[in-house]
Amino acid sequence: MENMPAAYEYADYYASYVKLVPEGNMADILERQMKETVRKLSSLDENRSEYRYAPGKWSIKEVIGHITDTERIMSYRLLCIARGETISLPGYDENKYVEEAHFDSQTLKELLDHFACVRQSTIHLLKSLSDDALLRKGTANNTEVSARALLTIIAGHELHHRNIIQERYLQA
């Protein structure tokens, strides 16, 4: 996939994610991001990975878990829409998912391995899809979205949170 989605292919609240993603081959972008994120975060020790920059904020481990959960959900939406699903796909409560996952009880390595596994699955899915499948639209969380927009949202969501980790967690 080389072409970025048009603004009408996704809800306005995803625009901040989409604009973070550079032009180029999406499989290459996703692969490069995965390697950069794992490289950057794997050097943290366990104590640092449980750091919260303010009360009530997620730890670095929880952010990694959230990125992974969101990618898994968006990839499922991608699969459904690319295959022509016509029913509306549900939304999810990101805070509830993080709360129920107990990411801080897992090691940083386990969380990064999980993220890399989910990302590899997304890349394999992308490579299996035709251009027509990527242009298909469906409904997720009560909004219309194209399959290719979901890929860009996945990439932008990771970049968004990686930027937050850099600015609010690692600079502290």
Side-chain angles (χ1 to χ4, degrees):
M1 184 184 109
E2 296 279 344
N3 297 329
M4 295 297 283
Y8 62 81
E9 294 181 56
Y10 53 87
D12 290 343
Y13 56 84
Y14 289 126
S16 62
Y17 298 153
V18 172
K19 74 179 181 183
L20 292 174
V21 181
E23 291 278 344
N25 180 282
M26 190 56 67
D28 293 342
I29 290 167
L30 291 169
E31 180 79 28
R32 195 168 43 251
Q33 280 184 327
M34 177 190 64
K35 289 177 180 176
E36 289 170 7
T37 296
V38 170
R39 181 188 52 75
K40 177 171 238 131
L41 298 179
S42 63
S43 64
L44 297 177
D45 63 38
E46 286 299 313
N47 287 336
R48 186 72 172 146
S49 67
E50 293 175 7
Y51 171 75
R52 299 164 194 277
Y53 68 88
K57 295 299 182 181
W58 294 340
S59 69
I60 293 172
K61 285 182 174 182
E62 288 172 324
V63 174
I64 295 166
H66 164 71
I67 292 168
T68 304
D69 276 357
T70 299
E71 181 155 342
R72 179 172 273 135
I73 290 163
M74 293 294 186
S75 290
Y76 171 72
R77 291 174 177 177
L78 168 65
L79 171 68
C80 292
I81 290 169
R83 298 287 196 258
E85 183 62 69
T86 58
I87 64 166
S88 181
L89 302 166
Y92 71 106
D93 181 341
E94 64 187 31
N95 292 308
K96 183 74 169 166
Y97 274 50
V98 169
E99 179 185 321
E100 292 296 325
H102 307 286
F103 292 122
D104 283 337
S105 68
Q106 299 175 50
T107 68
L108 178 61
K109 181 178 181 340
E110 288 169 336
L111 291 166
L112 291 172
D113 287 349
H114 189 177
F115 162 71
C117 180
V118 169
R119 175 54 58 92
Q120 284 295 333
S121 178
T122 300
I123 293 167
H124 285 292
L125 174 60
L126 165 58
K127 289 179 177 180
S128 75
L129 298 175
S130 69
D131 290 343
D132 287 343
L134 288 168
L135 293 174
R136 285 193 186 108
K137 292 183 188 174
T139 303
N141 198 25
N142 299 315
T143 61
E144 188 174 70
V145 65
S146 72
R148 74 176 177 172
L150 286 165
L151 284 163
T152 309
I153 292 164
I154 288 168
H157 180 259
E158 180 195 347
L159 288 171
H160 165 78
H161 283 291
R162 191 169 20 155
N163 290 342
I164 289 174
I165 289 171
Q166 182 62 44
E167 295 165 6
R168 298 183 188 166
Y169 293 82
L170 301 181
Q171 297 297 327

